[in-house]
mmCIF file of all heavy atoms in Angstrom:
data_model
loop_
_atom_site.group_PDB
_atom_site.id
_atom_site.type_symbol
_atom_site.label_atom_id
_atom_site.label_comp_id
_atom_site.label_asym_id
_atom_site.label_seq_id
_atom_site.Cartn_x
_atom_site.Cartn_y
_atom_site.Cartn_z
ATOM 1 N N THR A 32 27.661 -14.383 66.899
ATOM 2 C CA THR A 32 27.227 -15.204 68.022
ATOM 3 C C THR A 32 26.524 -14.372 69.079
ATOM 4 O O THR A 32 25.448 -14.725 69.553
ATOM 5 C CB THR A 32 28.422 -15.959 68.637
ATOM 6 O OG1 THR A 32 29.029 -16.746 67.626
ATOM 7 C CG2 THR A 32 28.003 -16.801 69.781
ATOM 8 N N ALA A 33 27.124 -13.251 69.453
ATOM 9 C CA ALA A 33 26.541 -12.389 70.457
ATOM 10 C C ALA A 33 25.203 -11.773 69.965
ATOM 11 O O ALA A 33 24.237 -11.731 70.702
ATOM 12 C CB ALA A 33 27.517 -11.275 70.836
ATOM 13 N N ALA A 34 25.207 -11.365 68.731
ATOM 14 C CA ALA A 34 23.966 -10.771 68.168
ATOM 15 C C ALA A 34 22.842 -11.821 68.071
ATOM 16 O O ALA A 34 21.670 -11.466 68.269
ATOM 17 C CB ALA A 34 24.254 -10.164 66.837
ATOM 18 N N LEU A 35 23.169 -13.050 67.797
ATOM 19 C CA LEU A 35 22.172 -14.128 67.784
ATOM 20 C C LEU A 35 21.564 -14.305 69.158
ATOM 21 O O LEU A 35 20.358 -14.563 69.278
ATOM 22 C CB LEU A 35 22.724 -15.407 67.227
ATOM 23 C CG LEU A 35 22.846 -15.478 65.713
ATOM 24 C CD1 LEU A 35 23.679 -16.692 65.299
ATOM 25 C CD2 LEU A 35 21.498 -15.493 65.039
ATOM 26 N N GLN A 36 22.352 -14.178 70.206
ATOM 27 C CA GLN A 36 21.831 -14.263 71.549
ATOM 28 C C GLN A 36 20.839 -13.124 71.831
ATOM 29 O O GLN A 36 19.784 -13.334 72.409
ATOM 30 C CB GLN A 36 22.968 -14.213 72.588
ATOM 31 C CG GLN A 36 23.820 -15.453 72.606
ATOM 32 C CD GLN A 36 23.004 -16.658 73.006
ATOM 33 O OE1 GLN A 36 22.263 -16.673 73.937
ATOM 34 N NE2 GLN A 36 23.167 -17.751 72.220
ATOM 35 N N LEU A 37 21.177 -11.945 71.355
ATOM 36 C CA LEU A 37 20.278 -10.805 71.478
ATOM 37 C C LEU A 37 18.989 -11.073 70.705
ATOM 38 O O LEU A 37 17.865 -10.812 71.235
ATOM 39 C CB LEU A 37 20.970 -9.542 70.943
ATOM 40 C CG LEU A 37 20.228 -8.254 71.154
ATOM 41 C CD1 LEU A 37 21.222 -7.116 71.326
ATOM 42 C CD2 LEU A 37 19.311 -7.958 69.987
ATOM 43 N N CYS A 38 19.083 -11.621 69.520
ATOM 44 C CA CYS A 38 17.895 -11.910 68.713
ATOM 45 C C CYS A 38 17.031 -12.934 69.405
ATOM 46 O O CYS A 38 15.802 -12.791 69.426
ATOM 47 C CB CYS A 38 18.323 -12.446 67.346
ATOM 48 S SG CYS A 38 19.091 -11.218 66.255
ATOM 49 N N LEU A 39 17.620 -13.994 69.950
ATOM 50 C CA LEU A 39 16.848 -14.994 70.683
ATOM 51 C C LEU A 39 16.136 -14.388 71.846
ATOM 52 O O LEU A 39 14.960 -14.719 72.126
ATOM 53 C CB LEU A 39 17.758 -16.148 71.130
ATOM 54 C CG LEU A 39 18.172 -17.128 70.068
ATOM 55 C CD1 LEU A 39 19.194 -18.107 70.656
ATOM 56 C CD2 LEU A 39 16.963 -17.878 69.516
ATOM 57 N N HIS A 40 16.774 -13.497 72.557
ATOM 58 C CA HIS A 40 16.143 -12.825 73.686
ATOM 59 C C HIS A 40 14.934 -12.055 73.213
ATOM 60 O O HIS A 40 13.876 -12.056 73.819
ATOM 61 C CB HIS A 40 17.146 -11.929 74.403
ATOM 62 C CG HIS A 40 16.539 -11.239 75.598
ATOM 63 N ND1 HIS A 40 16.032 -9.957 75.524
ATOM 64 C CD2 HIS A 40 16.334 -11.670 76.865
ATOM 65 C CE1 HIS A 40 15.586 -9.624 76.730
ATOM 66 N NE2 HIS A 40 15.729 -10.627 77.531
ATOM 67 N N GLN A 41 15.114 -11.314 72.115
ATOM 68 C CA GLN A 41 13.990 -10.501 71.581
ATOM 69 C C GLN A 41 12.810 -11.405 71.195
ATOM 70 O O GLN A 41 11.682 -11.072 71.459
ATOM 71 C CB GLN A 41 14.483 -9.680 70.422
ATOM 72 C CG GLN A 41 15.337 -8.532 70.780
ATOM 73 C CD GLN A 41 14.533 -7.426 71.466
ATOM 74 O OE1 GLN A 41 13.461 -7.101 71.035
ATOM 75 N NE2 GLN A 41 15.063 -6.884 72.533
ATOM 76 N N LEU A 42 13.110 -12.539 70.557
ATOM 77 C CA LEU A 42 12.062 -13.424 70.104
ATOM 78 C C LEU A 42 11.384 -14.178 71.260
ATOM 79 O O LEU A 42 10.165 -14.318 71.260
ATOM 80 C CB LEU A 42 12.621 -14.434 69.069
ATOM 81 C CG LEU A 42 13.052 -13.824 67.752
ATOM 82 C CD1 LEU A 42 13.904 -14.822 66.978
ATOM 83 C CD2 LEU A 42 11.826 -13.420 66.934
ATOM 84 N N ARG A 43 12.184 -14.657 72.201
ATOM 85 C CA ARG A 43 11.636 -15.505 73.250
ATOM 86 C C ARG A 43 11.048 -14.719 74.446
ATOM 87 O O ARG A 43 10.125 -15.191 75.078
ATOM 88 C CB ARG A 43 12.698 -16.441 73.766
ATOM 89 C CG ARG A 43 13.093 -17.479 72.742
ATOM 90 C CD ARG A 43 14.201 -18.363 73.269
ATOM 91 N NE ARG A 43 14.538 -19.381 72.294
ATOM 92 C CZ ARG A 43 15.595 -20.156 72.363
ATOM 93 N NH1 ARG A 43 16.454 -20.002 73.363
ATOM 94 N NH2 ARG A 43 15.855 -21.051 71.436
ATOM 95 N N ARG A 44 11.619 -13.551 74.716
ATOM 96 C CA ARG A 44 11.238 -12.846 75.944
ATOM 97 C C ARG A 44 10.615 -11.459 75.739
ATOM 98 O O ARG A 44 9.964 -10.965 76.652
ATOM 99 C CB ARG A 44 12.460 -12.706 76.848
ATOM 100 C CG ARG A 44 13.182 -14.025 77.084
ATOM 101 C CD ARG A 44 13.286 -14.230 78.520
ATOM 102 N NE ARG A 44 14.021 -15.493 78.725
ATOM 103 C CZ ARG A 44 13.697 -16.337 79.664
ATOM 104 N NH1 ARG A 44 12.713 -16.099 80.445
ATOM 105 N NH2 ARG A 44 14.370 -17.457 79.819
ATOM 106 N N MET A 45 10.858 -10.855 74.595
ATOM 107 C CA MET A 45 10.416 -9.491 74.416
ATOM 108 C C MET A 45 9.258 -9.370 73.409
ATOM 109 O O MET A 45 8.808 -8.254 73.115
ATOM 110 C CB MET A 45 11.589 -8.634 73.937
ATOM 111 C CG MET A 45 12.804 -8.598 74.874
ATOM 112 S SD MET A 45 12.422 -7.938 76.489
ATOM 113 C CE MET A 45 12.122 -6.222 76.055
ATOM 114 N N GLY A 46 8.760 -10.482 72.941
ATOM 115 C CA GLY A 46 7.573 -10.458 72.082
ATOM 116 C C GLY A 46 7.831 -10.163 70.630
ATOM 117 O O GLY A 46 6.901 -9.937 69.849
#
Side-chain angles (χ1 to χ4, degrees):
T32 302
L35 282 169
Q36 290 297 314
L37 186 149
C38 292
L39 283 173
H40 181 264
Q41 286 290 315
L42 291 165
R43 292 178 177 167
R44 308 235 181 220
M45 301 298 292

